[in-house]
Amino acid sequence: MPELNQDFPRMWVEFDDPADAENLFRCDLTWLTSNWNCIYGRGCGGIVEGKAANGCCSLGAHFSDDGDYDRVKKYVNKLDKDTWQNYKEGHKKWTEKDDDGELKTRVYKSGCIFLNSADFKTGGGCALHQLAARENVSITKTKPDVCWQLPIQRGFEWINHTDGKQRLQITIGEYTRAGWGAGGADLHWYCTSNTEAHVAANPVYLTERDTLIELMGEPAYKVLVEHCEARMTALRAMQVVAQKSAGSTSKSVSVAIRGLAPHPADRIVLD
């Protein structure tokens, strides 16, 4: 199926940050309870036409700040010729600056310098991602921020209350094409609202646990899990009723399921 339009209803939840009373989390339950997963090497079309094997690693990754670069550098130093296909070139130079002078990982042979090809001894994919598995650490430690955060997008906005107080609203949601700005529309293929990528056995809030804890903190993540599990229970109950119902009752249940705003890429039957 073609990629689905992003203009569909979503269910959001807001709650206080248990670790900081100034913070207010706003989380997209429609996305976080969807069954999206990365399908790199299993049907991913790649963001550049003709380079499906690159997945989303064709353009290199920008560093969010000096701390991001310094953290990644420590793990780059752990790579060698047996774990990094482009070690010879990358050992000399693994970063570059874009046209605006922003630091990013170097593009080499039409892909990120850390991208190993499928015929390499460790298999295809990011050398830093593979390093995380070997070191038994989270990818949030080894990879640039923009890489490990995908497909979650975090946003910050100061909001004013009628009592004159300000709170920092932290939004946790789907990193859609629009999240990339004007360049998002130029991507050849994108996964988050593509039905081919919504095939996971478990929902995003579980499969992306490490990412969410890094972005939110563990106390807030625990609150998020409670909301997600309550929503999952409601969705499952409605689907069971739908399977057993017929006629007008079935239509009423379908309306109820729509009211819970499931992610359309999950292929939940509503009619």
Side-chain angles (χ1 to χ4, degrees):
M1 291 179 64
E3 184 180 340
L4 300 178
N5 192 301
Q6 285 290 316
D7 297 328
F8 54 82
R10 294 178 183 269
M11 179 175 282
W12 296 80
V13 64
E14 292 184 355
F15 58 88
D16 296 332
D17 182 354
D20 190 337
E22 187 177 57
N23 297 342
L24 175 69
F25 278 101
R26 180 173 183 266
C27 302
D28 181 358
L29 293 183
T30 292
W31 167 244
L32 294 167
T33 58
S34 75
N35 60 359
W36 175 92
N37 68 171
C38 176
I39 56 170
Y40 174 76
R42 298 177 292 116
C44 172
I47 60 174
V48 174
E49 187 173 6
K51 297 180 181 178
N54 285 11
C56 56
C57 304
S58 287
L59 307 178
H62 286 79
F63 293 101
S64 58
D65 53 32
D66 291 343
D68 184 22
Y69 166 78
D70 290 340
R71 175 179 51 76
V72 172
K73 182 180 179 180
K74 289 191 296 186
Y75 286 96
V76 171
N77 290 336
K78 293 188 176 186
L79 296 173
D80 56 33
K81 63 182 181 180
D82 294 319
T83 58
W84 183 13
Q85 187 172 17
N86 298 320
Y87 174 80
K88 184 177 180 180
E89 287 295 324
H91 189 62
K92 300 174 184 176
K93 179 184 177 185
W94 59 274
T95 63
E96 63 185 8
K97 291 188 177 181
D98 65 11
D99 294 338
D100 296 320
E102 298 293 328
L103 190 66
K104 60 187 286 290
T105 61
R106 178 184 171 190
V107 173
Y108 177 69
K109 292 185 176 180
S110 302
C112 176
I113 191 76
F114 294 106
L115 182 65
N116 292 336
S117 63
D119 58 0
F120 187 60
K121 63 183 71 176
T122 62
C126 173
L128 292 169
H129 192 115
Q130 295 171 353
L131 175 64
R134 288 193 301 273
E135 296 271 318
N136 195 29
V137 299
S138 170
I139 61 170
T140 64
K141 307 299 182 186
T142 64
K143 300 177 70 171
D145 285 346
V146 68
C147 298
W148 65 256
Q149 288 180 15
L150 286 173
I152 309 295
Q153 184 172 31
R154 178 178 61 178
F156 299 93
E157 180 182 3
W158 285 102
I159 57 176
N160 297 312
H161 286 270
T162 53
D163 61 3
K165 294 181 179 179
Q166 278 194 327
R167 297 193 72 185
L168 180 61
Q169 179 176 274
I170 305 172
T171 301
I172 303 292
E174 178 180 342
Y175 211 124
T176 64
R177 279 182 181 269
W180 294 104
D186 297 329
L187 300 177
H188 167 64
W189 187 90
Y190 199 68
C191 63
T192 64
S193 286
N194 209 306
T195 55
E196 286 90 340
H198 281 250
V199 293
N202 293 305
V204 170
Y205 76 91
L206 294 179
T207 58
E208 297 296 319
R209 176 183 179 276
D210 287 354
T211 299
L212 289 166
I213 288 177
E214 191 71 22
L215 292 174
M216 305 175 70
E218 191 159 9
Y221 175 72
K222 288 180 178 179
V223 176
L224 174 65
V225 169
E226 293 176 359
H227 287 290
C228 288
E229 289 183 347
R231 172 180 162 79
M232 294 291 290
T233 297
L235 273 171
R236 292 190 190 104
M238 286 285 86
Q239 289 178 278
V240 169
V241 174
Q243 292 169 357
K244 296 180 179 178
S245 302
S248 59
T249 303
S250 179
K251 292 180 181 179
S252 297
V253 174
S254 176
V255 171
I257 294 177
R258 287 184 187 278
L260 293 173
H263 200 296
D266 281 352
R267 309 180 191 179
I268 292 178
V269 177
L270 299 177
D271 300 307

